[in-house]
Amino acid sequence: MSRTSLALHNLRGFAIVMVVAFHSCIAYLASPPASPPAFDAPPYRWLAKPIVDNAHWLGLDLFCALQYMYLMHLMFFLSGLFVYPSLSRKGAARFLSDRFVRLGIPFFLGVFLLMPLAYYPVYRLTAVEPTWSAFWVHWRALPFWPCGPLWFLSVLFAFNLAFAALAAAIPRLRERLAILSASAGVYPERFLAGFVALAALTYVPLSMAYKPWDWVTYGPFAFQPSFIAPYAIFYLAGACVSAHGFDRGLLSADGALARRWPIWLAVAFAAFLVWIIPTALIVKQAAAWMHGLQIVADLGSVLASATISFAVAALFLRFVAAPSPILGRISVNAFPIYLMHYLFVIWLQYLLLGTGLFAVVKAAIVFAGTLLMSWALASLVPALPFGAKLMQGKRELPGMRRAHLG
């Protein structure tokens, strides 16, 4: 594996760790509702914060805000990096078939089997009759089927499907995308400016119609309407990079992005402030007297999601481009960990209710317990009939260095 492949391998493991950490902290944010929201009463606020604990700490709010800004954008970008290596090697039909086995089947199994088990404690918080049978009646009466964090799998499959169709309709699409990222290794700021502008053109109008916490649901499918276009653009940006090739482009281990990591870190911090300061003022009802504050916050959101993603990638290319015994193994097990972790997060948060521990201690217990139990179960996945498909991380990442072939 090249240094770039190793860095991205470790980065994927880091991203999954941050997903687990983010969900582990949500119950302990500093501004909890006065009481747990009713299970079957709109707007179903328990979807965003399933467990409400009286222990809280402002520092966890800042941590979660930071992760919220870039984490899913980064995951869609990393997912886009696999497109051309896989599509070129397998062809469109086999690529989509494999994507359905890897994403579609686990999505439906997770939604219909794991999610009811995961959300049962949420129902018990406000239930008059906390039995499983009563829960099942209330669960089936919901106007949708909650999918939790598994929404990512269905949206990612939709992006894969759309991109495969686009590649079939435009025979020279790869060459055209490669041109867009050809100079990114030397001038990463130009590449950043291009897709930040594109993301802003889509996100700002959508954010005027939808709030960041709004969701659209159709049965078991869900997505955030204000973020769906930026997610697609980050996915496309990953495809552009993979079209040109990893080791000689934006993600080159000795390229400008990796060499200038202090600059990217500073810019990312500044962009985060551009988003969080006006957002905090809006929450405190200052938007009425500060003209254009919402647009500033929206532009800050787009800029922060891109620059933080670039900064994290730069740090890994510069400092974590070698085999890692922990992140490497987590990366191999990333998909099953993501698939199963929410079950452990909610149950551990529920079991810690009423204990006299500090918020940080509770969050640490939930995080460590969730990661270890999800990781342990992930080790059993290869024994399942389609378990090998879930463990493709062992084979896909080494193949990333061959992304320029085809």
Side-chain angles (χ1 to χ4, degrees), residues 56 186 228 240 263 312 324 343 405:
H56 47 83
V186 180
I228 192 67
C240 286
I263 297 176
V312 172
S324 171
L343 174 67
L405 299 178

Side-chain angles (χ1 to χ4, degrees), residues 158-239:
F159 287 172
N160 286 329
L161 184 63
F163 190 85
L166 190 65
I170 307 176
R172 298 185 61 83
L173 178 64
R174 181 169 185 170
E175 289 80 358
R176 296 178 183 181
L177 292 179
I179 292 173
L180 295 178
S181 61
S183 63
V186 180
Y187 304 106
E189 65 280 355
R190 296 181 183 176
F191 186 73
L192 171 73
F195 85 84
V196 163
L198 187 59
L201 287 174
T202 58
Y203 176 73
V204 173
L206 286 171
S207 67
M208 294 178 181
Y210 301 98
K211 301 298 182 185
W213 52 84
D214 287 342
W215 287 83
V216 173
T217 57
Y218 297 97
F221 304 103
F223 64 91
Q224 294 166 283
S226 62
F227 283 117
I228 192 67
Y231 287 158
I233 291 166
F234 273 74
Y235 175 87
L236 185 61

